[in-house]
Amino acid sequence: MDRQHHRLVTGVASETGTTEAPPSYIGIGPGAGGGGVDVVSRDAAAQALGAVVQLHFDKTVEKKRCADAQKQELWRLFLAFLLVLAVVLSAVATSPPARLQCRHLWAPAGLISLAHLAFYAAVTHHLRCLNGFRYQRRCHKLTLALAADRLRMLKSAGEVVAAADVEVPYQEPHESYLGKFRRSWAVHFAFLIATFAFSVAAAVAILCF
C-alpha cells in the first residue's frame, strides 16, 4: 500500500552537517525571537500542494482502472463457473438411466465440488486484489480532498504560511469502512454455499428420484 507523507518544507543537508533552507523557506528560530516556527511563501506552498493534488488524482484514477479490471475478471470467472455447472447438470439429466444411477452420485458431486473449490480459489485471489485497490483508492481520495482543502485555504492566507498548515499526511479511512469488505466476503461465501447445495440437490433429484 502506497503510504506517503508530503512535507512541503524541508531543509537541505550540506557537507558540514548543517541544514540549508531552500529559497522559498523562511525559518523563525528561537535565536530570531520566534518560537521555532517554520513558514513558507504562499506561491511555493500553492505549487507544492498542486503537485500533491495532481499526484493523488492520478493515483485515484489508476486504482479505479485496476479495480474495474478486477471486476471484469470476476464476471468472466462467474460466467465460466455457471457454464461448468450447467454442463455437469445437463450431462446428468440427459444420461441414460442404465449408465448413471443413484449409486453413481459421487461422480457429479465430485465434479461439482471441484468446480466450487476452483472457483473459490480464483475468486478469493481477485476479490482480495479488488478490495485492496478499493482501499488504496479511498486513501488517495481522502488525501486528495485534504490537499485540495488546504490549497483552497491558501487563497485567504498571507504572503507566508506556517509549514505545518500545508503539510499533507497520507489519509486512511475509518475502520468502519472495512465492514464493506467483510460484507463482500460474506456474500461471496453465501453464494458458494447456495450454488453448491442447489447443484448437489439437483443431481440427487435427477439420479435418485
Side-chain angles (χ1 to χ4, degrees):
M1 186 175 301
D2 8 313
R3 183 186 300 271
Q4 303 167 3
H5 181 86
H6 307 283
R7 183 172 179 81
L8 304 182
V9 182
T10 54
V12 180
S14 65
E15 296 179 357
T16 60
T18 59
T19 302
E20 298 176 357
S24 60
Y25 173 85
I26 305 174
I28 304 178
V37 178
D38 295 336
V39 295
V40 64
S41 65
R42 184 174 64 179
D43 293 340
Q47 183 178 2
L49 283 173
V52 173
V53 168
Q54 185 63 43
L55 169 66
H56 287 283
F57 177 79
D58 294 341
K59 287 290 186 180
T60 301
V61 174
E62 175 188 345
K63 299 304 177 184
K64 185 179 186 304
R65 289 174 180 170
C66 293
D68 290 341
Q70 292 296 326
K71 288 179 182 179
Q72 293 177 1
E73 188 64 27
L74 283 172
W75 274 112
R76 283 193 287 267
L77 288 172
F78 176 73
L79 293 177
F81 173 67
L82 292 183
L83 179 61
V84 170
L85 292 182
V87 169
V88 172
L89 292 178
S90 62
V92 172
T94 57
S95 64
R99 177 175 295 181
L100 278 181
Q101 298 178 1
C102 188
R103 65 175 182 271
H104 301 133
L105 180 63
W106 61 269
L111 291 176
I112 290 171
S113 299
L114 287 176
H116 277 78
L117 288 175
F119 180 71
Y120 175 78
V123 171
T124 295
H125 169 71
H126 289 288
L127 194 59
R128 185 180 293 113
C129 293
L130 175 61
N131 291 339
F133 288 134
R134 283 176 171 174
Y135 184 84
Q136 292 175 4
R137 180 170 179 260
R138 181 65 174 174
C139 293
H140 286 299
K141 287 181 68 176
L142 293 174
T143 309
L144 171 64
L146 177 62
D149 183 62
R150 301 213 168 159
L151 186 59
R152 285 192 297 268
M153 290 173 57
L154 284 179
K155 296 180 180 179
S156 59
E159 291 301 320
V160 293
V161 292
D165 293 340
V166 290
E167 288 181 3
V168 184
Y170 188 75
Q171 300 294 299
E172 293 186 5
H174 194 266
E175 289 187 2
S176 60
Y177 182 76
L178 299 177
K180 176 181 180 180
F181 304 139
R182 298 189 187 99
R183 288 191 295 271
S184 66
W185 279 105
V187 169
H188 167 55
F189 191 73
F191 170 77
L192 283 177
I193 295 296
T195 55
F196 181 77
F198 171 79
S199 302
V200 172
V204 171
I206 293 172
L207 295 179
C208 300
F209 297 98

